[in-house]
Amino acid sequence: MFGADSVQSTCMPTTVRSFAKINIGLCIGARRPDGFHELRTLYQTIALHDRVVVTVSKGAGIELHCKTPGVPLDESNTCWRIVERAMALLATPGRVRIEIEKQLPVQGGLGGASSNAVAALLAVEHELKRELPLADKFGLAAEVGSDLPLFLIGGTVLGVGRGEEVYPLPELPATACVLATLGIAVSTPQAFADWDRTQEQDKLTGCFPSDRINVFCSAIFSGLNGFLSRPRNAAGRHSSGVPAAEGRGRAETQLLDLVRTGIANDFEQVVFPQHPELAKVKGILQDEGALYASLSGSGSAVYGLFATRQAAQKAAGSLEAQGTRAHVTTTVSRKGYWEQLLV
Ligand code: C5P
């Protein structure tokens, strides 16, 4: 991404936008011998972001700064962990100062900590004017957390394995998104453990995790296939395929192809009963006409995708009127992700 041949830092800070993600569907499979769960999900980056400011100067070590409570400032922080590994691989001496300016909720299911780490890695590369081989970056990212590698791709991304094995997918069109944040922190390991308990009961009914995962994947591909098989216009872009008289825009139609397949986030089954207010927010987004509404990751953020920005703004207004914090944002394509990364 950042071509150069010198190893010297400019001592000027590098600021990187650290975008959030949402999960459009998330299917949890069996717990593996390594303790992680096999899963399948569709990640989508969105415009809401933190900022990560990195300076590399003479010396050694890492220092972390963040004013938001709940963000660890020691070696347990994902930024620290990835930068420590990257500096060792780059074999470059230097003192790395990382400042995280938080907008995204902590433990919100939006991949904030994961995105911050990838942003810090890319900022260090920019500071040093040196790049690690891409395979090394994916390796480091996967080592630090399951949700990191997606941020080395951006846009619409298929996540498999424990979520760390990522594949760029044909992009969903830019879509207005309402994000509701309720200030509830959900522990992901706890949500997985709660899911395991529900599965003990399902085993008795003969429903196997691998069957569910296969059904989920075929749903995603049939949804995307509808989009891909549409005729392209002269510019090579997909046309909507739906008569204008129906009044549907291109974004709406393509997204509907996907969500009509019935993909869902399994975490809702364990998180909603514990936090019924989250289910209520999803209901409001649906009532406001969301094309799709869901918990993101293990939550607690709940989002709705809307056909127009006006519809999104109206839905956000309804949520705010009922005392729920709501942000209107948009999905970010792979191209947009990389173009807007450096501030
Ligand atoms: O990889 P990450 O640090 O995000 O994982 C946090 C925790 O979530 C893991 O230690 C594990 O308990 C749980 N997890 C899981 N299956 C996954 C991803 C995470 O059980 N696919």
Side-chain angles (χ1 to χ4, degrees), residues 249-271:
R250 179 173 155 259
E252 184 178 357
T253 307
Q254 291 171 0
L255 190 61
L256 282 174
D257 276 345
L258 184 65
V259 301
R260 268 196 205 110
T261 62
I263 57 171
N265 179 348
D266 284 343
F267 278 123
E268 289 185 354
Q269 292 182 42
V270 290
V271 175

Side-chain angles (χ1 to χ4, degrees), residues 31 35-39 81 114 142 144-147 161-163 188-189 192:
R31 181 192 273 273
F36 286 90
H37 292 73
E38 195 62 25
L39 64 80
R81 290 170 63 206
S114 305
V144 173
S146 307
D147 273 357
R162 59 182 166 88
T188 302
F192 274 112

Side-chain angles (χ1 to χ4, degrees), residues 39-62:
L39 64 80
R40 303 286 180 270
T41 188
L42 200 62
Y43 298 111
Q44 173 66 53
T45 47
I46 60 171
L48 205 70
H49 60 272
D50 293 337
R51 281 171 189 241
V52 176
V53 186
V54 171
T55 317
V56 182
S57 54
K58 284 206 182 92
I62 297 171

Side-chain angles (χ1 to χ4, degrees), residues 74-145:
D74 58 13
E75 62 279 0
S76 67
N77 186 294
T78 49
C79 294
W80 187 303
R81 290 170 63 206
I82 203 163
V83 166
E84 191 174 43
R85 287 164 168 82
M87 291 299 279
L89 272 186
L90 286 162
T92 307
R95 179 164 188 80
V96 185
R97 182 186 193 280
I98 306 166
E99 182 154 6
I100 308 168
E101 298 171 3
K102 275 273 173 224
Q103 288 291 323
L104 307 173
V106 178
Q107 286 193 307
L110 300 172
S114 305
S115 171
N116 291 170
V118 172
L121 169 66
L122 298 174
V124 163
E125 286 187 324
H126 187 259
E127 280 283 286
L128 296 174
K129 300 187 173 60
R130 284 191 52 194
E131 273 187 64
L132 285 168
L134 203 52
D136 286 357
K137 280 194 273 198
F138 275 103
L140 287 185
E143 218 178 283
V144 173

Side-chain angles (χ1 to χ4, degrees), residues 22 24 172 175-178 255 259 289-293 303-307 331:
I22 52 174
I24 306 177
L172 288 175
T175 306
C177 176
V178 175
L255 190 61
V259 301
L291 304 172
Y292 187 68
Y303 69 86
L305 297 173
F306 287 85
T331 59

